[in-house]
Amino acid sequence: MKVVIAPDSFKGSLQAPEVAEAIARGIRRESPEIETVLLPVADGGEGTVEAVRRAFGGELVTATVHDPLMREIEASFLLAGERAVIEMAAASGLPLLSEEERDVWRTTSYGTGELIAEAVRRGAKEILLGIGGSATNDGGTGMCRALGARFLTADGRDAGFGARCAEQTVRVELESLRKLLSGVKITAMCDVVNPLCGPEGATYVYGPQKGAADLPALDAALSNLAEVAGGDAQDRPGAGAAGGLGFALMAFCGAELRSGIDAVLDLCEFERRCEGADLILTGEGRADGQSASGKVVSGILKRAGEIPVAVFAGGLGEGAERLYEAGVSVLLPIGDRPMTLAESMARTGELLESAARRFWRALLVGRGLKN
């Protein structure tokens, strides 16, 4: 019997490789002879670089870049031949800031652009950029500045950083950026479909968690940037991702936006690794109605074919039962008794192993009854 174990991370407690290993330990305690294929995955956000590295190989490259407040930090990306895999959050992510530092009028995506530029300097011709977890709402202007673009005010001055840049820009010069990116294909891995502006756009949907104040003014700043850029990129699905970084990638860098989980599963050769499998086990920290659209679980379901899929979850949220309608065979909350969220997160590895063991014993009973 062959089992593919392809979970996402349990955010705040275990990375995806650790989740896969905990599930495998539980199964092997009951059936040591079972073939287990560990294939930790991600949806283009946190953990994407490590998931691809484990499946595809490559070199982790560390560079000195700038965080959302332009402080120097070290950030890494994956380089495999002429392909680079980068997580925006490594340089421009919300966890890099304290609660008090969150201010999207100031925070910039500049460090993300520095990582892209470093990858290009090292010979990358294809860049896959995960754009989840941003601390910014600058319309991607910081990223573009690091790649050589200039954003200018009415009197020809540099428009600065953060959302102020989007607000004050009246002209964009892209010659240096286009020269740097000539011959480079950029694919943004994105699991949201929000436009740049409006009630479903970057500012109103995601701005508050990043410390955004005066939402109408911030939305107007992004609208101004879109007007300066011209074209229709601001209305395309995903333009509002990462505070408008999706917009800048399409409008200024000629990038393509793809579902993050689809891109990662392609890189990990998911279908090939699942050949001959009898069961796929996946998981995430919280399974709810959103898990059925655009997340790791939904991506795996689309590609599993006739192979049954079971989902381990730290907890079940509203709408989790829709996963059954989407094709999940079993939902498996890992808790073994009432406990606080903090305790559950501290014991995630232990709980996963125990839940996998209970599930496997139930599976063995079921197989015996069927036979």
Side-chain angles (χ1 to χ4, degrees):
M1 188 173 186
K2 176 179 175 179
V3 179
V4 174
I5 305 174
D8 196 358
S9 64
F10 278 46
K11 291 181 175 56
S13 51
L14 291 184
Q15 296 298 313
E18 298 169 310
V19 174
E21 288 159 4
I23 294 171
R25 283 196 305 272
I27 292 173
R28 291 172 187 150
R29 288 186 65 181
E30 299 301 325
S31 298
E33 76 285 357
I34 291 297
E35 178 187 357
T36 53
V37 177
L38 274 61
L39 190 64
V41 295
D43 61 5
E46 176 190 358
T48 297
V49 164
E50 182 59 19
V52 175
R53 186 188 71 81
R54 286 191 171 231
F56 194 80
E59 172 193 4
L60 279 178
V61 176
T62 300
T64 301
V65 298
H66 291 85
D67 80 353
L69 291 176
M70 291 300 288
R71 300 172 296 204
E72 284 193 352
I73 59 169
E74 300 292 306
S76 299
F77 62 91
L78 181 69
L79 187 63
E82 294 187 343
R83 174 186 286 155
V85 182
I86 300 171
E87 292 177 25
M88 179 205 190
S92 311
L94 197 60
L96 298 174
L97 304 179
S98 68
E99 290 276 353
E100 296 73 24
E101 291 173 332
R102 297 179 182 183
D103 178 3
V104 293
W105 287 108
R106 299 169 56 212
T107 51
T108 175
S109 55
Y110 190 86
T112 297
E114 290 178 301
L115 287 176
I116 296 172
E118 181 64 19
V120 172
R121 282 193 286 270
R122 289 175 175 263
K125 298 297 183 183
E126 179 184 4
I127 292 172
L128 293 105
L129 177 64
I131 58 175
S134 75
T136 58
N137 204 77
D138 67 348
T141 53
M143 174 201 67
C144 292
R145 286 190 58 175
L147 296 172
R150 299 184 68 204
F151 294 84
L152 304 173
T153 64
D155 57 3
R157 292 180 296 108
D158 185 285
F161 291 100
R164 292 291 179 200
C165 182
E167 180 185 52
Q168 299 179 43
T169 292
V170 300
R171 188 169 86 254
V172 183
E173 295 180 355
L174 297 171
E175 291 80 2
S176 295
L177 177 148
R178 288 174 174 160
K179 182 177 179 180
L180 178 68
L181 297 182
S182 177
V184 178
K185 177 185 177 182
I186 300 178
T187 301
M189 297 181 284
C190 170
D191 67 353
V192 304
V193 295
N194 306 76
L196 180 66
C197 301
E200 299 300 319
T203 297
Y204 283 98
V205 176
Y206 303 107
Q209 71 191 45
K210 305 175 187 181
D214 196 353
L215 299 184
L218 281 165
D219 193 55
L222 294 181
S223 181
N224 172 70
L225 182 66
E227 184 175 347
V228 172
D232 66 350
Q234 69 270 17
D235 297 320
R236 297 182 203 166
L245 187 75
F247 160 78
L249 286 163
M250 292 186 286
F252 302 133
C253 304
E256 172 192 3
L257 266 61
R258 281 197 68 196
S259 158
I261 182 57
D262 283 341
V264 171
L265 291 178
D266 282 348
L267 284 171
C268 295
E269 300 182 312
F270 181 77
E271 282 84 353
R272 182 184 67 80
R273 303 287 293 277
C274 287
E275 288 177 1
D278 300 283
L279 180 64
I280 297 171
L281 304 179
T282 184
E284 58 185 1
R286 178 180 173 85
D288 55 27
Q290 293 186 0
S291 302
S293 57
K295 302 290 186 179
V296 164
V297 173
S298 66
I300 287 175
L301 286 171
K302 289 175 185 176
R303 298 182 182 222
E306 298 300 315
I307 306 172
V309 176
V311 178
F312 290 86
L316 301 181
E318 184 177 354
E321 66 281 354
R322 290 205 292 274
L323 286 169
Y324 290 126
E325 300 168 12
V328 168
S329 297
V330 188
L331 278 173
L332 301 158
I334 64 173
D336 57 5
R337 60 178 173 79
M339 66 185 74
T340 64
L341 176 60
E343 182 183 357
S344 176
M345 293 177 70
R347 296 179 58 209
T348 298
E350 169 196 345
L351 293 172
L352 274 166
E353 182 176 342
S354 179
R357 190 178 183 190
R358 293 195 304 273
F359 165 69
W360 199 256
R361 290 181 69 88
L363 180 68
L364 294 176
V365 169
R367 284 172 64 87
L369 289 173
K370 180 179 179 181
N371 292 336

